[in-house]
Amino acid sequence: TDEIMHQDIIPIYAADIQDQLKKQFAYLSGGRGGDGCPVITFPDYPAFSEIPEKEFQNVLTYLTSIP
């Protein structure tokens, strides 16, 4: 079972994770895929493996919740 998909999703606001967003290890590039879904970009980030899982989840949850 994928526990991430089965967690209750609590809204995350940019103001709550601004320090995490400033790291820019993931961001919305403004593009859309063939199915119309937004493209999340993961640029080269030297300390990517050091990002705590909760921080990674917060940023992805926030980015995927933006209409």
Side-chain angles (χ1 to χ4, degrees), residues 15 26 32 34 37 49-51 61-63:
R32 295 208 172 257
C37 293
S49 63
E50 298 171 15
I51 298 169
T61 299
Y62 172 73
L63 293 177

Side-chain angles (χ1 to χ4, degrees), residues 4 15 23 38 52 56 62-63 67:
I4 293 173
K23 292 180 182 180
F56 183 78
Y62 172 73
L63 293 177

Side-chain angles (χ1 to χ4, degrees), residues 24-27 40-45 48 56 60 63:
Q24 295 185 337
F25 60 83
Y27 62 89
I40 296 176
T41 302
F42 295 91
D44 187 29
Y45 188 80
F48 192 81
F56 183 78
L60 287 187
L63 293 177

